[in-house]
Amino acid sequence: MTAMALLHVHRLSKIYGGVPVLDRVDMDVMRGEIVMIVGPSGAGKSTMLRCMNRVEDPTEGEVVVDGVNMAGEVLNGTLVADTSTQTAAKRRKIGMVFQRFNLFAHLTALDNVAIGPHRVLHKSLQESREIAIQLLDQVRLKAHAGKRPSQLSGGQQQRVAIARALAMQPVLMLFDEPTSALDPELVGEVLEVIRNLARDGMTMLVVTHEMQFAREVGTRIVFMDGGRIVEEATPQVFFTNPKHERSREFLRRVSRVDAEPRGAG
Amino acid sequence: MGAIDWGVMWYAIPYMLKGALVTLQISALAMVLGSIVGIICGFLLLSELTPLKWLVRAYVYFVRGTPALVQIFLVYFALPVIGIDIPAFWGAVVALGFNAGGFIAEIVRAGLQSIDMGQTEAAKAIGMTHRQTLQYILFPQSLRRITPPLTNELITLVKGSSLLSAISIYELTRSTQLIISQKFTPFELYALLAVFYLIIISVLSKISEYIEARLA
């Protein structure tokens, strides 16, 4: 492992009913990197993110975030697994944004963002709401603070979801297809927020089908297929001169799709 | 069958109102007890505390598998034998409360489990523990869904409280039986008794509909 890596992933695997959806993936991410994860559906991209913060339990492998092993503590060469409460505490350092937003349906935009600082970090309600207001302002939704998720557009909901994740002051942000469930005209506003985060130096892993965005904002492209990382390259190299046949095939196919009207997901 | 004796009904109404008050008191207290027990047990059924989970399962299994009348007899006749002696009124509240609690536990569990998985994942992702997720995210969202089955449980409880007549608690049914034994007018008074229950339960249904609409 590289000493400076913020995120270290080693032989991470997830096996469903004998099928390896994620197959011994290795990855190191430095602070400030913006890793764009691309590939066909079923490649294991989402599963990889979900195994990193243990929303899903990996079958095997190691994830170390900011020097902290996400699975437990290694004592005398053996891993002592964390309790679920310890895992919960470790997850705070990793923000996650979902394809379907998953805003808490019973709470206003403000309280969706404030509930983490309040209930998990045990800050006062007032302080938590002040943090929330500031973050909603950052994603330009201050005026909508009092609205319920059902009263917001998809793009607005996703921006609240980003603010909710940021409220926990994560060292790493995971985006799981953040714009795939959005109407085309709402994609831009969400990508803009992610772009601003990148500018502020946030370390991010973004699973995306927005190739133009991946190319412009990513510092590295990771192409996955069949549960494995097939190719890793700078955007410049990946989009102009990919090494692997499967990468080329994928790029040919998405460029065809991009030329047509956007389909679902 | 002769003419209906309206006079005896007027005579009975004040006594039956007193009985109805006892029925409502016991039902309300049992519902509060049952809700507390049921919510705690519903959470435990989904908790990671395996021994407690099995205890709750055994309790629910017992409540569902035995008649309420037998449970009432157990509290009223069997508990004093092992040294637990509580007044009849409170014994009734405990018996009906724990009966309701078993059913409410299942209602709460089903309500919590019916909430979209994405809510749980989002709660996990901001570092909430399992208990915090249940308490702050899933339970508030399940309230609206569990209101109708909870109302059914309350209606069952009010009707079931007539079983308490078997242990000489002067609730609505027992009060009516007492007057019948004095006046020998079973038709008029049992009919009136049915009307009393219908009115009580209609009012409770209306209140529940109102609550459900407010939670929307």
Side-chain angles (χ1 to χ4, degrees):
Chain A
M1 145 178 197
T2 318
M4 284 163 58
L6 177 70
L7 169 70
H8 170 69
V9 177
H10 183 55
R11 289 178 72 83
L12 193 64
S13 301
K14 178 72 183 183
I15 298 170
Y16 286 115
V19 182
V21 179
L22 191 63
D23 191 4
R24 289 161 292 174
V25 165
D26 294 308
M27 185 190 288
D28 280 292
V29 177
M30 302 295 140
R31 213 173 281 276
E33 269 197 278
I34 294 140
V35 181
M36 296 287 175
I37 301 156
V38 302
S41 54
K45 311 180 296 291
S46 294
T47 305
M48 181 173 77
L49 289 198
R50 294 162 61 84
C51 284
M52 283 177 182
N53 74 345
R54 300 187 82 82
V55 165
E56 241 168 84
D57 286 327
T59 311
E60 60 166 49
E62 187 182 48
V63 177
V64 180
V65 177
D66 208 8
V68 177
N69 188 315
M70 291 299 291
E73 303 309 320
V74 179
L75 291 172
N76 304 324
T78 51
L79 182 83
V80 181
D82 283 333
T83 63
S84 66
T85 308
Q86 286 170 314
T87 303
K90 288 181 178 180
R91 280 200 196 99
R92 293 176 201 167
K93 301 172 65 171
I94 309 174
M96 188 167 206
V97 173
F98 300 87
Q99 183 177 349
R100 306 247 18 130
F101 333 130
N102 297 348
L103 288 187
F104 302 130
H106 62 305
L107 299 178
T108 60
L110 181 73
D111 284 337
N112 261 279
V113 183
I115 193 167
H118 182 46
R119 296 298 187 186
V120 179
L121 301 179
H122 304 293
K123 295 181 197 284
S124 73
L125 184 59
Q126 195 200 339
E127 190 188 349
S128 303
R129 283 186 168 155
E130 280 164 13
I131 293 168
I133 278 287
Q134 202 184 325
L135 286 165
L136 286 177
D137 194 26
Q138 191 180 324
V139 297
R140 286 177 288 109
L141 284 173
K142 200 172 167 182
H144 300 279
K147 288 187 182 169
R148 294 282 179 96
S150 58
Q151 297 169 296
L152 298 171
S153 75
Q156 291 170 331
Q157 287 189 58
Q158 194 61 299
R159 286 187 279 151
V160 175
I162 294 169
R164 174 176 67 180
L166 293 175
M168 302 305 290
Q169 294 186 296
V171 295
L172 172 70
M173 286 284 286
L174 309 176
F175 292 86
D176 186 5
E177 300 197 25
T179 60
S180 296
L182 295 176
D183 291 335
E185 75 272 20
L186 303 176
V187 168
E189 62 191 63
V190 171
L191 295 185
E192 186 56 36
V193 168
I194 300 175
R195 219 176 238 125
N196 289 339
L197 276 179
R199 209 164 290 147
D200 295 345
M202 175 64 78
T203 312
M204 301 192 279
L205 272 69
V206 186
V207 173
T208 186
H209 294 296
E210 302 287 338
M211 292 303 142
Q212 190 58 36
F213 170 71
R215 186 173 187 164
E216 285 169 19
V217 180
T219 57
R220 183 188 349 171
I221 307 290
V222 168
F223 172 68
M224 289 181 74
D225 195 12
R228 313 211 60 168
I229 294 177
V230 175
E231 179 162 354
E232 284 189 71
T234 62
Q236 171 68 14
V237 169
F238 182 80
F239 286 105
T240 55
N241 189 21
K243 275 198 290 293
H244 288 261
E245 176 48 35
R246 273 191 285 175
S247 312
R248 284 195 286 271
E249 168 64 24
F250 172 75
L251 286 173
R252 270 197 298 275
R253 228 177 309 145
V254 291
S255 63
R256 264 205 304 278
V257 172
D258 273 359
E260 294 163 13
R262 269 172 58 100
Chain B
M1 193 171 74
I4 292 171
D5 184 350
W6 296 100
V8 75
M9 289 191 183
W10 289 115
Y11 169 79
I13 283 174
Y15 296 101
M16 289 173 72
L17 281 173
K18 265 185 205 159
L21 186 63
V22 175
T23 287
L24 286 175
Q25 282 171 335
I26 290 177
S27 299
L29 288 167
M31 192 64 192
V32 170
L33 176 65
S35 298
I36 294 168
V37 170
I39 289 168
I40 292 170
C41 289
F43 273 58
L44 286 174
L45 282 170
L46 293 177
S47 80
E48 294 161 335
L49 310 162
T50 312
L52 278 173
K53 191 154 70 179
W54 281 102
L55 263 178
V56 173
R57 278 190 191 155
Y59 158 59
V60 172
Y61 176 75
F62 174 80
V63 165
R64 289 214 289 200
T66 55
L69 186 59
V70 173
Q71 293 162 20
I72 290 165
F73 283 156
L74 273 173
V75 171
Y76 190 69
F77 295 112
L79 285 189
V81 177
I82 58 167
I84 302 171
D85 209 348
I86 43 178
F89 178 89
W90 290 105
V93 169
V94 167
L96 292 182
F98 275 88
N99 176 274
F103 291 98
I104 293 172
E106 279 296 307
I107 292 170
V108 170
R109 179 197 58 75
L112 292 169
Q113 279 185 323
S114 74
I115 306 300
D116 178 52
M117 264 304 292
Q119 298 285 309
T120 301
E121 289 182 356
K124 270 185 176 182
I126 57 167
M128 282 200 179
T129 62
H130 185 69
R131 185 189 60 74
Q132 288 174 325
T133 305
L134 287 173
Q135 185 179 345
Y136 300 127
I137 306 301
L138 302 183
F139 184 65
Q141 293 188 49
S142 72
L143 279 179
R144 184 159 176 266
R145 287 185 200 180
I146 67 177
T147 302
L150 275 185
T151 309
N152 283 339
E153 191 47 45
L154 177 60
I155 288 170
T156 305
L157 201 157
V158 171
K159 291 194 288 191
S161 69
S162 64
L163 294 169
L164 298 172
S165 57
I167 56 168
S168 300
I169 286 178
Y170 284 86
E171 42 65 69
L172 182 52
T173 300
R174 183 76 183 145
S175 309
T176 311
Q177 285 172 332
L178 184 71
I179 306 164
I180 293 170
S181 70
Q182 295 163 349
K183 300 285 182 183
F184 310 109
T185 50
F187 174 74
E188 286 85 347
L189 294 184
Y190 277 129
L192 187 59
L193 178 61
V195 171
F196 262 76
Y197 278 111
L198 277 173
I199 292 170
I200 291 172
I201 281 159
S202 303
V203 171
L204 292 177
S205 298
K206 279 287 163 215
I207 294 172
S208 150
E209 276 169 30
Y210 174 75
I211 292 171
E212 204 190 331
R214 284 292 302 273
L215 287 172

